[in-house]
């Protein structure tokens, strides 16, 4: 609706006049007034009418926020899972808790280095290194 209003206002302008139309809208005072007007409209629409919708907004907003916060960690896990699937877990010692194949790590030390760099748990890092050293033929 607001875009339709803006479009109808700039439709008849020349190209040189368009920046002059948008420049006052980018000032700090205009932005503060716009935010305040939006909050006032929200308050009048939901708070004063004793609506349940603000509770839904908080719940769904919190759910979306928590998903976005957890997304980098989940992507890291998916990347590691995809990397681990390149190795055959049936050929040697596979630790599903840590998500690595010791035989593959013995063959490819750069995978061990990559896994340690990606891991956040110090205990898990030492467990992996200890297991890897135990299977290493000296």
């Amino acid at each position: 609706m607001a875009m339709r209003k803006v479009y109808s206002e700039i439709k008849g302008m020349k190209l040189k006049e368009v920046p002059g139309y948008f420049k006052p809208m980018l000032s700090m005072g205009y932005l503060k007034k716009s935010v305040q007007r939006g909050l006032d409209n929200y308050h009048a629409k939901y708070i004063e009418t004793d609506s349940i919708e603000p509770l839904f907004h908080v719940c769904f907003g919190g759910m979306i926020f928590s998903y976005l916060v957890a997304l980098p960690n989940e992507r890291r896990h998916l990347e590691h899972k995809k990397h681990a699937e390149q190795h055959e877990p049936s050929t040697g010692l596979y630790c599903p808790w840590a998500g690595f194949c010791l035989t593959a790590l013995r063959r490819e030390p750069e995978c061990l280095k990559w896994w340690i760099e990606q891991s956040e748990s110090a205990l898990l890092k030492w467990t992996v290194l200890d297991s890897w050293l135990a299977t290493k033929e000296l």
Side-chain angles (χ1 to χ4, degrees), residues 93-107:
L93 299 169
Y94 181 73
C95 178
W97 174 68
F100 64 92
C101 177
L102 290 173
T103 307
L105 292 179
R106 191 175 336 144
R107 283 193 317 252

Side-chain angles (χ1 to χ4, degrees), residues 4 23 26 31 36 64 66 86 89 95 103 109 115 117 120:
R4 188 179 300 165
K23 191 171 182 178
L26 299 176
L31 291 175
Q36 187 62 42
I64 291 168
S66 66
Q86 294 173 353
C95 178
T103 307
W115 192 88
E117 288 172 354
E120 294 176 356

Side-chain angles (χ1 to χ4, degrees), residues 74-86:
E74 292 300 322
R75 291 191 64 166
R76 183 180 58 81
H77 284 298
L78 288 173
E79 181 182 339
H80 177 258
K81 185 178 178 183
K82 186 169 59 172
H83 183 78
E85 287 174 354
Q86 294 173 353

Side-chain angles (χ1 to χ4, degrees), residues 32-124:
K32 285 181 183 178
K33 280 194 280 186
S34 297
V35 169
Q36 187 62 42
R37 191 171 49 243
L39 290 174
D40 289 341
N41 291 341
Y42 185 86
H43 186 268
K45 185 175 182 181
Y46 297 112
I47 306 298
E48 289 179 359
T49 60
D50 292 331
S51 175
I52 191 78
E53 287 189 41
L55 179 63
F56 295 147
H57 295 157
V58 169
C59 290
F60 287 118
M63 186 174 59
I64 291 168
F65 178 74
S66 66
Y67 175 77
L68 291 175
V69 167
L71 187 62
N73 196 27
E74 292 300 322
R75 291 191 64 166
R76 183 180 58 81
H77 284 298
L78 288 173
E79 181 182 339
H80 177 258
K81 185 178 178 183
K82 186 169 59 172
H83 183 78
E85 287 174 354
Q86 294 173 353
H87 307 293
E88 330 66 61
S90 61
T91 60
L93 299 169
Y94 181 73
C95 178
W97 174 68
F100 64 92
C101 177
L102 290 173
T103 307
L105 292 179
R106 191 175 336 144
R107 283 193 317 252
E108 302 177 38
E110 68 274 1
C111 291
L112 175 68
K113 181 180 178 219
W114 177 86
W115 192 88
I116 289 174
E117 288 172 354
Q118 298 297 316
S119 179
E120 294 176 356
S121 169
L123 177 63
L124 191 56

